[in-house]
Amino acid sequence: MQRFDMGTRRCSWAAGLALAAALALPVVVFTQEPTPQPLTVVRAARVLDVTTGQLLYNYQVVVEGDLVKAVGPRAAVPGATAVELGDATLLPGLIDCHTHITQDPGDYYDQIFRRSPIDLAVAAHRYARRTLEAGFTTVRDVGAAEFVDIALRNAIARGEVVGPRILAAGLAIGATGGHADLSGFSPYLKFETFSGVADGEDEIRRKVRINIKHGADLIKVVATAGVLSEEESVGAPQYTLDELRALVDEAHMWGKKVAAHAHGAEGIRRAIEAGVDSVDHASLIDDEGIRLARARGTYLVMDVYNDDYILAEYRRLRYPEKIIEKERKVGQLQRENFRKAVQAGAKMAFGTDAAVFPHGWNARQFAKMVEAGQAPIEAIRAATVHAADLLGLGDRIGSIAPGKAADLVAAPGNPLADVTLLERVSFVMKGGVIYKGGAAARTGIEP
Ligand SMILES: [Zn+2]
């Protein structure tokens, strides 16, 4: 996804941003929101230990404040608020490593010409709530117009808006005429916006710095052409190896990870060689790309669900024919290549490109991953321990363990037997606060 909606009100928007930047703390991802209960004990028929893959029966999770205090066999916890979830499986909060939480699917032309970033900014909180209520307690948001993602992240962290913990990339960085640019329209059509378009090593380094200056947690680079934009061939590389190396060097120098959008095999290889932390989409990855990813430990984030949605909805969304031709080319190939990458043992993290399809449907991708050859536990690991590792938060989230964030979701049944149960989570806790399923399950204070 890239089709960033453009706006024309740069002056007033920029002034608002400057104020926000002045008020915001530099690292707000873990700032606490509504105050959690001091002590809670959550019980369900099963607890899934994602690291071992074992289901633990008759277990409970004790939560103190915003952290997990203990995981162990059922026992009384005097003074704790008890939450009884019955025939459900408790898992760590899910993580989607590729969202665009500031936009939702809509009419192609309406989104480009009739909506400004202000429209996005006032609606984005709804997508954030839907994402959290779907069990995704953390997302890595990889590209948004006008730093709306960063403002949303900050509002959630301050407790003003309900949503997942967000790691935000700010503006996606890409070449003139590429997937991060707006192509296919009159040369006289111009939008006054912050832009991630940059050519050459110096400009690219400067864009990295601008993103970091405005609060980006990571850097998103567009290494090849894309699907949902009107530039040419979907697989074409759009940065040279030297340009990619400069971008990665600059980002890593500031301690920021890099997510690379890449569909074509050549661009994927360049991105991995340049040292990106994840290759996203990876649709046309070849054997050499898979080998390189394994050798370098690069994560693949393959969004294998959204093809179904695009091909079902493109007429209603009025995507130009050029875009649909591209989707038809890559959608099925991506699933075949996902299977090859899984068989080869490449590191996989869960990412959906939510925004291409409605936010809150993120978990529909689990079934596609299993269909394409991944064991259910591996698909769940991709969205928990592996995702947490990719985000650099392996010590804070991704599994249910003492000292980690109290991010818990419950699936109504056993998700190892049926991953589609993750599409209907019955309970969501983030940072010790219950956002879904609490009212019916709370049974009072333990004697
Ligand atoms: Zn995307």
Side-chain angles (χ1 to χ4, degrees), residues 1-2 98 100 142 220 261 281 353:
M1 184 85 173
Q2 214 63 58
H98 193 122
H100 301 278
V142 287
K220 166 77 176 296
H261 157 113
H281 310 301
D353 218 357

Side-chain angles (χ1 to χ4, degrees), residues 347-415:
K347 285 162 76 175
M348 308 295 260
F350 183 98
T352 62
D353 218 357
V356 169
F357 59 86
H359 294 284
W361 292 15
N362 315 52
R364 294 184 182 206
Q365 184 169 296
F366 286 108
K368 296 292 161 189
M369 293 163 84
V370 170
E371 264 174 51
Q374 214 167 25
I377 184 64
E378 283 305 320
I380 291 168
R381 281 182 177 138
T384 53
V385 269
H386 297 329
D389 181 48
L390 169 58
L391 271 46
L393 297 174
D395 57 340
R396 313 285 299 268
I397 57 174
S399 64
I400 305 174
K404 285 198 171 182
D407 294 356
L408 303 173
V409 302
N414 176 3

Side-chain angles (χ1 to χ4, degrees), residues 84-159:
E84 300 277 353
L85 298 170
D87 181 26
T89 302
L90 271 179
L91 304 94
L94 302 171
I95 303 166
D96 190 331
C97 299
H98 193 122
T99 67
H100 301 278
I101 203 161
T102 55
Q103 2 176 174
D104 218 24
D107 182 282
Y108 183 76
Y109 299 97
D110 181 65
Q111 292 204 335
I112 291 175
F113 294 114
R114 299 193 209 286
R115 299 199 189 200
S116 81
I118 297 166
D119 292 287
L120 301 185
V122 298
H125 68 98
R126 297 167 56 233
Y127 317 143
R129 177 186 282 271
R130 286 191 336 225
T131 303
L132 180 62
E133 289 178 349
F136 288 80
T137 48
T138 303
V139 303
R140 188 181 69 158
D141 205 66
V142 287
E146 307 288 302
F147 305 108
V148 174
D149 54 342
I150 288 165
L152 180 64
R153 175 199 68 191
N154 294 350
I156 291 169
R158 287 193 298 259

Side-chain angles (χ1 to χ4, degrees), residues 53-367:
Q54 277 196 319
L55 285 170
L56 307 168
Y57 294 86
N58 293 313
Y59 261 56
Q60 64 186 23
V61 180
V62 181
V63 173
E64 186 172 47
D66 57 347
L67 300 177
V68 171
K69 186 176 189 222
V71 188
R74 256 172 199 267
V77 183
T81 303
V83 175
E84 300 277 353
L85 298 170
D87 181 26
T89 302
L90 271 179
L91 304 94
L94 302 171
I95 303 166
D96 190 331
C97 299
H98 193 122
T99 67
H100 301 278
I101 203 161
T102 55
Q103 2 176 174
D104 218 24
D107 182 282
Y108 183 76
Y109 299 97
D110 181 65
Q111 292 204 335
I112 291 175
F113 294 114
R114 299 193 209 286
R115 299 199 189 200
S116 81
I118 297 166
D119 292 287
L120 301 185
V122 298
H125 68 98
R126 297 167 56 233
Y127 317 143
R129 177 186 282 271
R130 286 191 336 225
T131 303
L132 180 62
E133 289 178 349
F136 288 80
T137 48
T138 303
V139 303
R140 188 181 69 158
D141 205 66
V142 287
E146 307 288 302
F147 305 108
V148 174
D149 54 342
I150 288 165
L152 180 64
R153 175 199 68 191
N154 294 350
I156 291 169
R158 287 193 298 259
E160 295 164 2
V161 165
V162 170
R165 202 174 282 115
I166 295 178
L167 273 72
L171 307 166
I173 300 174
T176 294
H179 183 57
D181 202 353
L182 183 67
S183 302
F185 296 102
S186 159
Y188 291 91
L189 187 68
K190 289 197 170 54
F191 293 101
E192 286 268 326
T193 60
F194 286 105
S195 163
V197 173
D199 302 301
E201 296 173 37
D202 290 349
E203 272 187 32
I204 289 169
R205 284 184 185 270
R206 184 168 154 73
K207 286 292 179 191
V208 170
R209 293 174 187 181
I210 288 171
N211 269 315
I212 293 169
K213 163 178 163 155
H214 293 301
D217 299 297
L218 70 141
I219 298 299
K220 166 77 176 296
V221 61
V222 173
T224 75
V227 175
L228 300 185
S229 54
E230 292 189 61
E231 88 277 26
E232 296 307 321
S233 140
V234 61
Q238 292 186 336
Y239 271 144
T240 65
L241 182 55
D242 284 341
E243 285 175 314
L244 290 170
R245 282 198 170 123
L247 180 138
V248 172
D249 179 62
E250 188 68 33
H252 286 176
M253 186 176 87
W254 292 79
K256 306 298 179 190
K257 295 198 178 207
V258 177
H261 157 113
H263 288 284
E266 171 63 26
I268 291 169
R269 291 195 297 267
R270 284 184 199 174
I272 297 170
E273 273 178 45
V276 304
D277 299 280
S278 70
V279 172
D280 295 36
H281 310 301
S283 310
L284 308 176
I285 191 167
D286 59 7
D287 292 346
E288 176 61 8
I290 292 172
R291 192 195 63 74
L292 271 175
R294 288 196 60 206
R296 298 288 300 260
T298 313
Y299 273 100
L300 303 180
V301 178
M302 298 179 74
D303 49 335
V304 291
Y305 161 67
N306 61 52
D307 179 56
D308 285 10
Y309 182 84
I310 294 170
L311 294 183
E313 298 289 341
Y314 72 91
R315 283 185 212 286
R316 184 176 64 80
L317 302 176
R318 293 206 294 157
Y319 282 131
E321 192 53 35
K322 193 172 196 173
I323 283 178
I324 294 314
E325 277 168 27
K326 292 204 262 184
E327 184 60 39
R328 288 199 185 99
K329 265 185 210 154
V330 302
Q332 283 310 310
L333 280 174
Q334 187 193 35
R335 291 177 187 181
E336 289 166 27
N337 291 330
F338 177 87
R339 181 183 299 275
K340 283 187 198 166
V342 165
Q343 283 169 352
K347 285 162 76 175
M348 308 295 260
F350 183 98
T352 62
D353 218 357
V356 169
F357 59 86
H359 294 284
W361 292 15
N362 315 52
R364 294 184 182 206
Q365 184 169 296
F366 286 108

